[in-house]
Amino acid sequence: GGTRIRSTFAMPVQHDTIAPHNSHHIAASAEIKESDAEYLAKHNIRALMADMVQEIVVAKPVSPVQFMIDYLAVGSSLCQQDKYGLSMMRRARLMKIFKAWDKNQDKTVDLKELRAFTRKHGGNAVTQDELKDIFMDMDESGDSKVDEDEFLKFFSLSVKRMDDDEFEQMIQDMLQ
């Protein structure tokens, strides 16, 4: 006769080791569900989300994720985006920088104005050559002046991936 070999791979099956179902666990889950439901109802989250989705569908923002963040953080009026995906809040903060650069208030910034601003505001972070290169990157038209549109377009690319804290820190650093 042949000898039978017992499998060494046969292991006992254990049930409910990952999430034991006891009465305390079920009660805690029910409490959390109830608490979540109360919070959602109290703050009318369903309506808020419906309104936000409606705004996204209508506005077709360039950056939908940033739109949602701004919508929840600052409300529907300030989260509207311009053609570069900048919220009205971010656009207003950037325009404060532009106006600080535009000393003669002609709604354009030339390299001389930018150099004067950076000297006054501790512009040791970049060399004069680097500053000229940055200026030339902003000046898409090549007319030796950066208008508001060129300025906003340039900065929209830089700030697109910044969260609000990083963005605000950049603004503060530029205005110091």
Side-chain angles (χ1 to χ4, degrees):
T3 308
R4 291 187 154 229
I5 300 173
R6 260 178 51 186
S7 171
T8 57
F9 298 107
M11 300 174 91
V13 177
Q14 293 179 331
H15 296 284
D16 296 333
T17 56
I18 295 173
H21 297 290
N22 59 39
S23 61
H24 175 71
H25 180 73
I26 293 169
S29 291
E31 266 184 51
I32 291 170
K33 263 186 166 174
E34 187 177 320
S35 173
D36 286 352
E38 287 173 13
Y39 179 86
L40 294 173
K42 177 181 177 185
H43 296 283
N44 206 3
I45 300 298
R46 188 177 305 266
L48 175 68
M49 296 305 287
D51 290 346
M52 182 172 64
V53 169
Q54 178 67 27
E55 290 270 349
I56 290 170
V57 169
V58 171
K60 295 179 182 61
V62 175
S63 176
V65 173
Q66 187 61 51
F67 181 92
M68 289 186 284
I69 292 166
D70 292 339
Y71 188 95
L72 295 171
V74 297
S76 64
S77 62
L78 292 176
C79 74
Q80 299 301 318
Q81 295 178 357
D82 66 10
K83 63 186 172 184
Y84 302 121
L86 291 168
S87 69
M88 294 302 111
M89 177 190 73
R90 286 187 174 201
R91 183 185 176 100
R93 300 293 286 143
L94 285 169
M95 286 309 297
K96 189 171 186 178
I97 301 289
F98 183 84
K99 287 176 180 161
W101 289 5
D102 182 18
K103 278 297 173 203
N104 66 5
Q105 300 176 351
D106 68 349
K107 297 195 186 307
T108 63
V109 174
D110 60 29
L111 185 55
K112 183 179 170 188
E113 287 173 308
L114 182 57
R115 284 188 170 141
F117 179 86
T118 54
R119 272 195 299 275
K120 183 179 177 187
H121 293 276
N124 298 328
V126 294
T127 67
Q128 290 301 309
D129 286 341
E130 290 170 328
L131 191 61
K132 184 177 181 182
D133 288 343
I134 292 168
F135 182 84
M136 289 171 56
D137 285 344
M138 282 191 278
D139 181 21
E140 282 192 339
S141 65
D143 64 355
S144 300
K145 293 181 180 285
V146 173
D147 62 24
E148 292 176 4
D149 199 52
E150 290 170 319
F151 174 85
L152 291 169
K153 183 176 183 181
F154 177 84
F155 272 97
S156 71
L157 300 173
S158 305
V159 303
K160 188 175 286 187
R161 304 231 185 282
M162 288 182 182
D163 67 28
D164 287 339
D165 291 338
E166 292 169 316
F167 176 79
E168 195 55 41
Q169 187 60 55
M170 180 199 74
I171 297 293
Q172 294 304 315
D173 290 347
M174 291 178 81
L175 289 174
Q176 286 183 4

